Amino acid sequence: MLTISQFAATAGVTVRTIRHYHHVGLLPEPERDASGYRRYSAQAAVDLIRIRTLADAGVPLARIDALLHAQPTEFAAAITDIDAELQRKIDQLTDYRSRIAELASGERLVLPPEVVAILDRMRSLGVSELRVRLERDSWILMQALDPHVMPQRIRDKNANFDDPETTRLYLACDQSVDWDPHDPRVDRLIDDMDAWEIKHERDSSQPGYLKLVVSRISEASPAWQRILDALAHRAQRRRTAVPDS
Amino acid sequence: MLTISQFAATAGVTVRTIRHYHHVGLLPEPERDASGYRRYSAQAAVDLIRIRTLADAGVPLARIDALLHAQPTEFAAAITDIDAELQRKIDQLTDYRSRIAELASGERLVLPPEVVAILDRMRSLGVSELRVRLERDSWILMQALDPHVMPQRIRDKNANFDDPETTRLYLACDQSVDWDPHDPRVDRLIDDMDAWEIKHERDSSQPGYLKLVVSRISEASPAWQRILDALAHRAQRRRTAVPDS
DNA sequence: GGTTGACCCTGACCCTACGTCAGGGTCGGA
DNA sequence: TCCGACCCTGACGTAGGGTCAGGGTCAACC
């Protein structure tokens, strides 16, 4: 007969594991010898190995108990089930592996590839990292709060960067980050951007969740703050003069 | 800004998970609004996704905390590490899958293939399932208690079944299970087996752990009990007459 | 302006599958 | 007789949350 540690060793588990299985009723308590030690039969070892085979495969102990007392048919069905679950886990882990590999590269994980492409395009056009990060935050908020507008916004944004005039304006604005707010170039920029908004039938009003992004842009640079305030003011005047149809 | 449930949704986790991360200090507590609700920034969403990417890969939360504050070099090293661990898990799950598939077939899981082959050979020779099971138990005990003798015993056992005379004797003994202990055929069997033991220079003494198996064999059949007792008795007499060299 | 349903808050206990410690008895060999 | 390696029970600890309980908020609709 086997002592508890020999018994545990046949399945490569700890003594504590065995006692736990007794406690939860998964393994029946065996006979005791004269001094109260548990003594295990070879049959118990076979049972234990079956239990561990299932447990290793991730089957909860409570379900193992039921399984071992099930009809062969149900048992076979459950096995098929468990096997499919294992395959699913394997696929998932494989997926996690590829994600882990991308961890170094930041937003690739959190945004759809089209948006990542836009951000990369901005970088390659020479847009500052600060501006790119603000843009990224705005996409993240949009994704969380208003996901159905994303496809349209992606098209718009790409169209903007396809247009050399719009791109020039965007870059000029980006460069104004450390200009003095009263630099005459800022005035020209405001005029140009206002004209652009009129031409493209846009205005500076935004869905509520983007107000935060706008306020962070303003905080980042006094020049930007002046530009945004001026544009909002002019747009407001236009709306008052020509009310919504 | 995001409410806690919107924030949780960006990473596909529950609100409780977010609060748990605050509790353990993995995520910093964000600002609160006027009514005490937590409000999350887009940057927090990026951080959360990074955390979940690691957590999904099985990294303990405590280690994630350290990782996110680590140098890029250490971080990269840890990622390599985690990736290797993932691959190991995938391999293990693949292994469990193949084991699960064998669950129906019993001893294949618990004994080395050579022994399984011996048991299968016994079955194909027509040995009763009862006897096979007793034999299996004896191998299990041997494996747990005296594993280094197994290769030799495997060779011996195969040699026995390679010998037609020994096989005949074994089968005869197996068939005697329900004979009357005083059937004259039992006497002839005892004579034959005793002769066999002398010829092969074996005796019926066993290492302690096999005594149990022998006693279970005896319990299974009165005829077997008589055979074993008689053989042990004769072997004992021989040892007394011709003491160990 | 009242109600309804979907949120949010904290605090506390529950879960699995054991690990670990405390405090004590038992066994086998030197 | 003593030591180290076993064995026993009982109880608490662990990660990563789940799930109440008991209460406040918000927005929309009637």
mmCIF file of all heavy atoms in Angstrom, chain B residues 4-49:
data_model
loop_
_atom_site.group_PDB
_atom_site.id
_atom_site.type_symbol
_atom_site.label_atom_id
_atom_site.label_comp_id
_atom_site.label_asym_id
_atom_site.label_seq_id
_atom_site.Cartn_x
_atom_site.Cartn_y
_atom_site.Cartn_z
ATOM 1 N N ILE B 4 -16.755 55.078 -15.746
ATOM 2 C CA ILE B 4 -16.045 53.829 -15.453
ATOM 3 C C ILE B 4 -16.506 52.691 -16.371
ATOM 4 O O ILE B 4 -15.692 51.860 -16.784
ATOM 5 C CB ILE B 4 -16.182 53.451 -13.958
ATOM 6 C CG1 ILE B 4 -15.131 52.395 -13.604
ATOM 7 C CG2 ILE B 4 -17.581 52.985 -13.620
ATOM 8 C CD1 ILE B 4 -14.982 52.146 -12.120
ATOM 9 N N SER B 5 -17.780 52.644 -16.723
ATOM 10 C CA SER B 5 -18.220 51.517 -17.547
ATOM 11 C C SER B 5 -17.765 51.693 -19.001
ATOM 12 O O SER B 5 -17.415 50.712 -19.664
ATOM 13 C CB SER B 5 -19.738 51.352 -17.468
ATOM 14 O OG SER B 5 -20.375 52.488 -17.969
ATOM 15 N N GLN B 6 -17.719 52.923 -19.472
ATOM 16 C CA GLN B 6 -17.183 53.163 -20.813
ATOM 17 C C GLN B 6 -15.706 52.819 -20.850
ATOM 18 O O GLN B 6 -15.207 52.205 -21.790
ATOM 19 C CB GLN B 6 -17.386 54.635 -21.196
ATOM 20 C CG GLN B 6 -18.826 54.992 -21.450
ATOM 21 C CD GLN B 6 -19.075 56.489 -21.405
ATOM 22 O OE1 GLN B 6 -18.272 57.248 -20.848
ATOM 23 N NE2 GLN B 6 -20.185 56.914 -21.979
ATOM 24 N N PHE B 7 -15.033 53.226 -19.800
ATOM 25 C CA PHE B 7 -13.598 52.972 -19.686
ATOM 26 C C PHE B 7 -13.324 51.465 -19.683
ATOM 27 O O PHE B 7 -12.475 50.967 -20.421
ATOM 28 C CB PHE B 7 -13.103 53.624 -18.394
ATOM 29 C CG PHE B 7 -11.663 53.398 -18.076
ATOM 30 C CD1 PHE B 7 -10.671 53.812 -18.947
ATOM 31 C CD2 PHE B 7 -11.301 52.780 -16.895
ATOM 32 C CE1 PHE B 7 -9.334 53.618 -18.641
ATOM 33 C CE2 PHE B 7 -9.973 52.586 -16.581
ATOM 34 C CZ PHE B 7 -8.983 52.998 -17.452
ATOM 35 N N ALA B 8 -14.090 50.747 -18.865
ATOM 36 C CA ALA B 8 -13.929 49.290 -18.796
ATOM 37 C C ALA B 8 -14.175 48.656 -20.162
ATOM 38 O O ALA B 8 -13.464 47.738 -20.572
ATOM 39 C CB ALA B 8 -14.878 48.711 -17.758
ATOM 40 N N ALA B 9 -15.168 49.199 -20.878
ATOM 41 C CA ALA B 9 -15.524 48.628 -22.179
ATOM 42 C C ALA B 9 -14.394 48.780 -23.198
ATOM 43 O O ALA B 9 -14.253 47.945 -24.090
ATOM 44 C CB ALA B 9 -16.801 49.271 -22.705
ATOM 45 N N THR B 10 -13.592 49.816 -23.079
ATOM 46 C CA THR B 10 -12.501 49.995 -24.055
ATOM 47 C C THR B 10 -11.528 48.824 -24.013
ATOM 48 O O THR B 10 -10.839 48.551 -24.989
ATOM 49 C CB THR B 10 -11.700 51.294 -23.822
ATOM 50 O OG1 THR B 10 -11.055 51.215 -22.564
ATOM 51 C CG2 THR B 10 -12.583 52.515 -23.890
ATOM 52 N N ALA B 11 -11.463 48.154 -22.872
ATOM 53 C CA ALA B 11 -10.558 47.004 -22.783
ATOM 54 C C ALA B 11 -11.340 45.695 -22.649
ATOM 55 O O ALA B 11 -10.744 44.639 -22.477
ATOM 56 C CB ALA B 11 -9.617 47.165 -21.602
ATOM 57 N N GLY B 12 -12.650 45.771 -22.716
ATOM 58 C CA GLY B 12 -13.443 44.562 -22.616
ATOM 59 C C GLY B 12 -13.396 43.897 -21.258
ATOM 60 O O GLY B 12 -13.412 42.673 -21.156
ATOM 61 N N VAL B 13 -13.352 44.694 -20.194
ATOM 62 C CA VAL B 13 -13.350 44.115 -18.851
ATOM 63 C C VAL B 13 -14.556 44.648 -18.086
ATOM 64 O O VAL B 13 -15.296 45.500 -18.592
ATOM 65 C CB VAL B 13 -12.058 44.462 -18.079
ATOM 66 C CG1 VAL B 13 -10.848 43.898 -18.812
ATOM 67 C CG2 VAL B 13 -11.927 45.950 -17.864
ATOM 68 N N THR B 14 -14.771 44.142 -16.866
ATOM 69 C CA THR B 14 -15.902 44.606 -16.076
ATOM 70 C C THR B 14 -15.513 45.813 -15.228
ATOM 71 O O THR B 14 -14.320 46.077 -14.998
ATOM 72 C CB THR B 14 -16.407 43.518 -15.116
ATOM 73 O OG1 THR B 14 -15.395 43.282 -14.146
ATOM 74 C CG2 THR B 14 -16.701 42.214 -15.859
ATOM 75 N N VAL B 15 -16.530 46.497 -14.757
ATOM 76 C CA VAL B 15 -16.314 47.637 -13.862
ATOM 77 C C VAL B 15 -15.592 47.169 -12.599
ATOM 78 O O VAL B 15 -14.699 47.840 -12.082
ATOM 79 C CB VAL B 15 -17.663 48.284 -13.516
ATOM 80 C CG1 VAL B 15 -17.509 49.276 -12.386
ATOM 81 C CG2 VAL B 15 -18.253 48.952 -14.755
ATOM 82 N N ARG B 16 -15.971 45.991 -12.123
ATOM 83 C CA ARG B 16 -15.334 45.460 -10.915
ATOM 84 C C ARG B 16 -13.826 45.297 -11.104
ATOM 85 O O ARG B 16 -13.038 45.517 -10.189
ATOM 86 C CB ARG B 16 -15.946 44.103 -10.553
ATOM 87 C CG ARG B 16 -15.346 43.498 -9.296
ATOM 88 C CD ARG B 16 -15.745 44.332 -8.107
ATOM 89 N NE ARG B 16 -14.864 44.474 -6.986
ATOM 90 C CZ ARG B 16 -14.032 43.668 -6.415
ATOM 91 N NH1 ARG B 16 -13.793 42.542 -6.889
ATOM 92 N NH2 ARG B 16 -13.377 43.962 -5.352
ATOM 93 N N THR B 17 -13.445 44.872 -12.285
ATOM 94 C CA THR B 17 -12.028 44.691 -12.581
ATOM 95 C C THR B 17 -11.277 46.023 -12.446
ATOM 96 O O THR B 17 -10.207 46.077 -11.839
ATOM 97 C CB THR B 17 -11.860 44.139 -14.002
ATOM 98 O OG1 THR B 17 -12.517 42.882 -14.069
ATOM 99 C CG2 THR B 17 -10.407 43.967 -14.368
ATOM 100 N N ILE B 18 -11.881 47.084 -12.967
ATOM 101 C CA ILE B 18 -11.246 48.403 -12.864
ATOM 102 C C ILE B 18 -11.068 48.787 -11.399
ATOM 103 O O ILE B 18 -9.985 49.182 -10.964
ATOM 104 C CB ILE B 18 -12.114 49.478 -13.557
ATOM 105 C CG1 ILE B 18 -12.350 49.116 -15.022
ATOM 106 C CG2 ILE B 18 -11.461 50.846 -13.434
ATOM 107 C CD1 ILE B 18 -11.104 49.004 -15.845
ATOM 108 N N ARG B 19 -12.137 48.616 -10.618
ATOM 109 C CA ARG B 19 -12.044 48.999 -9.201
ATOM 110 C C ARG B 19 -10.995 48.146 -8.494
ATOM 111 O O ARG B 19 -10.296 48.615 -7.612
ATOM 112 C CB ARG B 19 -13.408 48.888 -8.541
ATOM 113 C CG ARG B 19 -14.383 49.934 -9.112
ATOM 114 C CD ARG B 19 -15.467 50.335 -8.135
ATOM 115 N NE ARG B 19 -16.702 49.613 -8.383
ATOM 116 C CZ ARG B 19 -17.818 50.161 -8.867
ATOM 117 N NH1 ARG B 19 -17.877 51.441 -9.150
ATOM 118 N NH2 ARG B 19 -18.887 49.424 -9.056
ATOM 119 N N HIS B 20 -10.936 46.883 -8.893
ATOM 120 C CA HIS B 20 -9.914 46.015 -8.307
ATOM 121 C C HIS B 20 -8.511 46.558 -8.606
ATOM 122 O O HIS B 20 -7.654 46.580 -7.725
ATOM 123 C CB HIS B 20 -10.060 44.605 -8.871
ATOM 124 C CG HIS B 20 -9.104 43.608 -8.295
ATOM 125 N ND1 HIS B 20 -9.092 43.276 -6.956
ATOM 126 C CD2 HIS B 20 -8.112 42.893 -8.857
ATOM 127 C CE1 HIS B 20 -8.144 42.385 -6.737
ATOM 128 N NE2 HIS B 20 -7.533 42.138 -7.879
ATOM 129 N N TYR B 21 -8.292 46.983 -9.818
ATOM 130 C CA TYR B 21 -6.976 47.521 -10.197
ATOM 131 C C TYR B 21 -6.655 48.790 -9.403
ATOM 132 O O TYR B 21 -5.509 49.019 -9.035
ATOM 133 C CB TYR B 21 -6.907 47.804 -11.699
ATOM 134 C CG TYR B 21 -6.894 46.554 -12.550
ATOM 135 C CD1 TYR B 21 -6.944 46.626 -13.934
ATOM 136 C CD2 TYR B 21 -6.826 45.286 -11.975
ATOM 137 C CE1 TYR B 21 -6.943 45.471 -14.716
ATOM 138 C CE2 TYR B 21 -6.829 44.147 -12.739
ATOM 139 C CZ TYR B 21 -6.889 44.242 -14.118
ATOM 140 O OH TYR B 21 -6.891 43.117 -14.882
ATOM 141 N N HIS B 22 -7.662 49.614 -9.144
ATOM 142 C CA HIS B 22 -7.429 50.778 -8.288
ATOM 143 C C HIS B 22 -7.046 50.314 -6.889
ATOM 144 O O HIS B 22 -6.113 50.813 -6.284
ATOM 145 C CB HIS B 22 -8.687 51.643 -8.202
ATOM 146 C CG HIS B 22 -9.017 52.362 -9.473
ATOM 147 N ND1 HIS B 22 -8.052 52.939 -10.272
ATOM 148 C CD2 HIS B 22 -10.195 52.598 -10.094
ATOM 149 C CE1 HIS B 22 -8.628 53.496 -11.322
ATOM 150 N NE2 HIS B 22 -9.939 53.295 -11.249
ATOM 151 N N HIS B 23 -7.796 49.324 -6.416
ATOM 152 C CA HIS B 23 -7.584 48.833 -5.054
ATOM 153 C C HIS B 23 -6.160 48.344 -4.859
ATOM 154 O O HIS B 23 -5.537 48.602 -3.836
ATOM 155 C CB HIS B 23 -8.588 47.722 -4.753
ATOM 156 C CG HIS B 23 -8.570 47.271 -3.335
ATOM 157 N ND1 HIS B 23 -9.030 48.052 -2.291
ATOM 158 C CD2 HIS B 23 -8.135 46.119 -2.779
ATOM 159 C CE1 HIS B 23 -8.879 47.403 -1.162
ATOM 160 N NE2 HIS B 23 -8.345 46.225 -1.424
ATOM 161 N N VAL B 24 -5.641 47.618 -5.836
ATOM 162 C CA VAL B 24 -4.284 47.081 -5.694
ATOM 163 C C VAL B 24 -3.220 48.057 -6.199
ATOM 164 O O VAL B 24 -2.028 47.734 -6.175
ATOM 165 C CB VAL B 24 -4.127 45.723 -6.416
ATOM 166 C CG1 VAL B 24 -5.088 44.691 -5.848
ATOM 167 C CG2 VAL B 24 -4.312 45.858 -7.919
ATOM 168 N N GLY B 25 -3.658 49.240 -6.663
ATOM 169 C CA GLY B 25 -2.680 50.249 -7.051
ATOM 170 C C GLY B 25 -2.092 50.070 -8.441
ATOM 171 O O GLY B 25 -1.106 50.719 -8.788
ATOM 172 N N LEU B 26 -2.712 49.206 -9.235
ATOM 173 C CA LEU B 26 -2.187 48.983 -10.582
ATOM 174 C C LEU B 26 -2.566 50.132 -11.500
ATOM 175 O O LEU B 26 -1.785 50.522 -12.367
ATOM 176 C CB LEU B 26 -2.743 47.657 -11.113
ATOM 177 C CG LEU B 26 -2.227 47.154 -12.441
ATOM 178 C CD1 LEU B 26 -0.712 47.119 -12.461
ATOM 179 C CD2 LEU B 26 -2.780 45.769 -12.714
ATOM 180 N N LEU B 27 -3.754 50.667 -11.289
ATOM 181 C CA LEU B 27 -4.184 51.873 -11.996
ATOM 182 C C LEU B 27 -4.337 52.981 -10.959
ATOM 183 O O LEU B 27 -4.915 52.745 -9.901
ATOM 184 C CB LEU B 27 -5.553 51.649 -12.655
ATOM 185 C CG LEU B 27 -5.649 51.065 -14.050
ATOM 186 C CD1 LEU B 27 -7.104 50.874 -14.426
ATOM 187 C CD2 LEU B 27 -4.952 51.946 -15.063
ATOM 188 N N PRO B 28 -3.856 54.192 -11.259
ATOM 189 C CA PRO B 28 -4.068 55.300 -10.311
ATOM 190 C C PRO B 28 -5.541 55.692 -10.301
ATOM 191 O O PRO B 28 -6.218 55.590 -11.328
ATOM 192 C CB PRO B 28 -3.215 56.428 -10.890
ATOM 193 C CG PRO B 28 -3.058 56.096 -12.334
ATOM 194 C CD PRO B 28 -3.100 54.598 -12.441
ATOM 195 N N GLU B 29 -6.034 56.112 -9.142
ATOM 196 C CA GLU B 29 -7.396 56.627 -9.063
ATOM 197 C C GLU B 29 -7.474 57.901 -9.900
ATOM 198 O O GLU B 29 -6.636 58.780 -9.764
ATOM 199 C CB GLU B 29 -7.762 56.964 -7.608
ATOM 200 C CG GLU B 29 -8.117 55.766 -6.751
ATOM 201 C CD GLU B 29 -9.574 55.311 -6.929
ATOM 202 O OE1 GLU B 29 -10.305 55.954 -7.721
ATOM 203 O OE2 GLU B 29 -9.968 54.315 -6.281
ATOM 204 N N PRO B 30 -8.485 58.026 -10.765
ATOM 205 C CA PRO B 30 -8.597 59.240 -11.588
ATOM 206 C C PRO B 30 -9.325 60.346 -10.830
ATOM 207 O O PRO B 30 -9.771 60.137 -9.705
ATOM 208 C CB PRO B 30 -9.435 58.750 -12.760
ATOM 209 C CG PRO B 30 -10.352 57.759 -12.136
ATOM 210 C CD PRO B 30 -9.573 57.097 -11.013
ATOM 211 N N GLU B 31 -9.453 61.486 -11.469
ATOM 212 C CA GLU B 31 -10.260 62.590 -10.932
ATOM 213 C C GLU B 31 -11.704 62.121 -10.712
ATOM 214 O O GLU B 31 -12.149 61.193 -11.376
ATOM 215 C CB GLU B 31 -10.301 63.742 -11.942
ATOM 216 C CG GLU B 31 -8.955 64.181 -12.479
ATOM 217 C CD GLU B 31 -8.300 65.193 -11.573
ATOM 218 O OE1 GLU B 31 -8.697 66.366 -11.663
ATOM 219 O OE2 GLU B 31 -7.411 64.804 -10.755
ATOM 220 N N ARG B 32 -12.414 62.837 -9.823
ATOM 221 C CA ARG B 32 -13.845 62.583 -9.643
ATOM 222 C C ARG B 32 -14.612 63.807 -10.133
ATOM 223 O O ARG B 32 -14.126 64.941 -10.043
ATOM 224 C CB ARG B 32 -14.170 62.369 -8.158
ATOM 225 C CG ARG B 32 -13.365 61.301 -7.452
ATOM 226 C CD ARG B 32 -13.712 59.926 -7.975
ATOM 227 N NE ARG B 32 -12.948 58.898 -7.262
ATOM 228 C CZ ARG B 32 -13.514 57.955 -6.512
ATOM 229 N NH1 ARG B 32 -14.829 57.909 -6.370
ATOM 230 N NH2 ARG B 32 -12.771 57.031 -5.931
ATOM 231 N N ASP B 33 -15.849 63.582 -10.603
ATOM 232 C CA ASP B 33 -16.678 64.734 -10.951
ATOM 233 C C ASP B 33 -17.442 65.202 -9.715
ATOM 234 O O ASP B 33 -17.216 64.711 -8.606
ATOM 235 C CB ASP B 33 -17.616 64.412 -12.125
ATOM 236 C CG ASP B 33 -18.700 63.409 -11.751
ATOM 237 O OD1 ASP B 33 -18.838 63.110 -10.539
ATOM 238 O OD2 ASP B 33 -19.393 62.924 -12.658
ATOM 239 N N ALA B 34 -18.362 66.147 -9.918
ATOM 240 C CA ALA B 34 -19.035 66.792 -8.782
ATOM 241 C C ALA B 34 -19.774 65.789 -7.898
ATOM 242 O O ALA B 34 -19.849 65.956 -6.689
ATOM 243 C CB ALA B 34 -20.017 67.847 -9.301
ATOM 244 N N SER B 35 -20.294 64.719 -8.524
ATOM 245 C CA SER B 35 -21.051 63.758 -7.714
ATOM 246 C C SER B 35 -20.212 62.560 -7.271
ATOM 247 O O SER B 35 -20.752 61.556 -6.828
ATOM 248 C CB SER B 35 -22.275 63.290 -8.491
ATOM 249 O OG SER B 35 -21.908 62.885 -9.784
ATOM 250 N N GLY B 36 -18.900 62.677 -7.421
ATOM 251 C CA GLY B 36 -18.024 61.628 -6.913
ATOM 252 C C GLY B 36 -17.765 60.500 -7.888
ATOM 253 O O GLY B 36 -17.115 59.514 -7.540
ATOM 254 N N TYR B 37 -18.254 60.610 -9.105
ATOM 255 C CA TYR B 37 -17.994 59.569 -10.108
ATOM 256 C C TYR B 37 -16.570 59.694 -10.648
ATOM 257 O O TYR B 37 -16.069 60.790 -10.848
ATOM 258 C CB TYR B 37 -18.966 59.705 -11.296
ATOM 259 C CG TYR B 37 -20.406 59.390 -10.996
ATOM 260 C CD1 TYR B 37 -20.848 59.190 -9.691
ATOM 261 C CD2 TYR B 37 -21.321 59.285 -12.026
ATOM 262 C CE1 TYR B 37 -22.174 58.899 -9.433
ATOM 263 C CE2 TYR B 37 -22.651 58.992 -11.772
ATOM 264 C CZ TYR B 37 -23.074 58.811 -10.468
ATOM 265 O OH TYR B 37 -24.387 58.527 -10.217
ATOM 266 N N ARG B 38 -15.962 58.547 -10.904
ATOM 267 C CA ARG B 38 -14.626 58.557 -11.525
ATOM 268 C C ARG B 38 -14.733 58.968 -12.989
ATOM 269 O O ARG B 38 -15.653 58.537 -13.688
ATOM 270 C CB ARG B 38 -13.981 57.182 -11.425
ATOM 271 C CG ARG B 38 -13.645 56.732 -10.007
ATOM 272 C CD ARG B 38 -13.017 55.354 -10.037
ATOM 273 N NE ARG B 38 -12.683 54.860 -8.703
ATOM 274 C CZ ARG B 38 -13.541 54.250 -7.893
ATOM 275 N NH1 ARG B 38 -14.805 54.082 -8.264
ATOM 276 N NH2 ARG B 38 -13.150 53.825 -6.703
ATOM 277 N N ARG B 39 -13.747 59.752 -13.457
ATOM 278 C CA ARG B 39 -13.717 60.172 -14.855
ATOM 279 C C ARG B 39 -12.349 59.854 -15.447
ATOM 280 O O ARG B 39 -11.327 60.233 -14.876
ATOM 281 C CB ARG B 39 -13.979 61.675 -14.968
ATOM 282 C CG ARG B 39 -15.392 62.054 -14.578
ATOM 283 C CD ARG B 39 -16.364 61.427 -15.547
ATOM 284 N NE ARG B 39 -17.745 61.596 -15.082
ATOM 285 C CZ ARG B 39 -18.775 61.573 -15.924
ATOM 286 N NH1 ARG B 39 -18.579 61.388 -17.223
ATOM 287 N NH2 ARG B 39 -19.989 61.705 -15.450
ATOM 288 N N TYR B 40 -12.349 59.157 -16.587
ATOM 289 C CA TYR B 40 -11.098 58.638 -17.149
ATOM 290 C C TYR B 40 -10.696 59.352 -18.426
ATOM 291 O O TYR B 40 -11.549 59.685 -19.261
ATOM 292 C CB TYR B 40 -11.230 57.149 -17.428
ATOM 293 C CG TYR B 40 -11.438 56.354 -16.168
ATOM 294 C CD1 TYR B 40 -12.710 56.155 -15.655
ATOM 295 C CD2 TYR B 40 -10.341 55.841 -15.467
ATOM 296 C CE1 TYR B 40 -12.902 55.444 -14.484
ATOM 297 C CE2 TYR B 40 -10.528 55.119 -14.302
ATOM 298 C CZ TYR B 40 -11.814 54.932 -13.812
ATOM 299 O OH TYR B 40 -11.996 54.238 -12.657
ATOM 300 N N SER B 41 -9.402 59.530 -18.605
ATOM 301 C CA SER B 41 -8.855 60.155 -19.813
ATOM 302 C C SER B 41 -8.541 59.080 -20.849
ATOM 303 O O SER B 41 -8.496 57.891 -20.546
ATOM 304 C CB SER B 41 -7.574 60.892 -19.472
ATOM 305 O OG SER B 41 -6.577 59.949 -19.141
ATOM 306 N N ALA B 42 -8.297 59.530 -22.067
ATOM 307 C CA ALA B 42 -7.920 58.610 -23.134
ATOM 308 C C ALA B 42 -6.583 57.947 -22.804
ATOM 309 O O ALA B 42 -6.354 56.781 -23.121
ATOM 310 C CB ALA B 42 -7.840 59.344 -24.459
ATOM 311 N N GLN B 43 -5.707 58.686 -22.165
ATOM 312 C CA GLN B 43 -4.407 58.112 -21.800
ATOM 313 C C GLN B 43 -4.602 56.915 -20.869
ATOM 314 O O GLN B 43 -3.922 55.893 -20.979
ATOM 315 C CB GLN B 43 -3.522 59.170 -21.128
ATOM 316 C CG GLN B 43 -2.142 58.670 -20.744
ATOM 317 C CD GLN B 43 -1.390 58.100 -21.953
ATOM 318 O OE1 GLN B 43 -1.279 58.725 -22.993
ATOM 319 N NE2 GLN B 43 -0.886 56.876 -21.820
ATOM 320 N N ALA B 44 -5.556 57.049 -19.931
ATOM 321 C CA ALA B 44 -5.833 55.945 -19.014
ATOM 322 C C ALA B 44 -6.281 54.720 -19.790
ATOM 323 O O ALA B 44 -5.920 53.581 -19.450
ATOM 324 C CB ALA B 44 -6.895 56.359 -18.007
ATOM 325 N N ALA B 45 -7.044 54.942 -20.877
ATOM 326 C CA ALA B 45 -7.508 53.813 -21.687
ATOM 327 C C ALA B 45 -6.322 53.087 -22.317
ATOM 328 O O ALA B 45 -6.275 51.858 -22.369
ATOM 329 C CB ALA B 45 -8.480 54.295 -22.756
ATOM 330 N N VAL B 46 -5.358 53.870 -22.787
ATOM 331 C CA VAL B 46 -4.155 53.263 -23.369
ATOM 332 C C VAL B 46 -3.428 52.426 -22.312
ATOM 333 O O VAL B 46 -3.030 51.286 -22.558
ATOM 334 C CB VAL B 46 -3.223 54.355 -23.929
ATOM 335 C CG1 VAL B 46 -1.911 53.739 -24.371
ATOM 336 C CG2 VAL B 46 -3.891 55.077 -25.074
ATOM 337 N N ASP B 47 -3.298 52.989 -21.126
ATOM 338 C CA ASP B 47 -2.624 52.259 -20.035
ATOM 339 C C ASP B 47 -3.369 50.966 -19.720
ATOM 340 O O ASP B 47 -2.756 49.913 -19.534
ATOM 341 C CB ASP B 47 -2.566 53.137 -18.782
ATOM 342 C CG ASP B 47 -1.692 54.360 -18.994
ATOM 343 O OD1 ASP B 47 -0.923 54.367 -19.978
ATOM 344 O OD2 ASP B 47 -1.786 55.308 -18.197
ATOM 345 N N LEU B 48 -4.699 51.077 -19.672
ATOM 346 C CA LEU B 48 -5.504 49.904 -19.336
ATOM 347 C C LEU B 48 -5.307 48.794 -20.369
ATOM 348 O O LEU B 48 -5.166 47.620 -20.011
ATOM 349 C CB LEU B 48 -6.983 50.285 -19.248
ATOM 350 C CG LEU B 48 -7.943 49.118 -18.982
ATOM 351 C CD1 LEU B 48 -7.616 48.426 -17.664
ATOM 352 C CD2 LEU B 48 -9.387 49.594 -18.990
ATOM 353 N N ILE B 49 -5.296 49.171 -21.622
ATOM 354 C CA ILE B 49 -5.125 48.152 -22.667
ATOM 355 C C ILE B 49 -3.765 47.477 -22.529
ATOM 356 O O ILE B 49 -3.640 46.261 -22.715
ATOM 357 C CB ILE B 49 -5.273 48.775 -24.063
ATOM 358 C CG1 ILE B 49 -6.620 49.453 -24.196
ATOM 359 C CG2 ILE B 49 -5.034 47.719 -25.146
ATOM 360 C CD1 ILE B 49 -7.568 48.835 -25.138
#
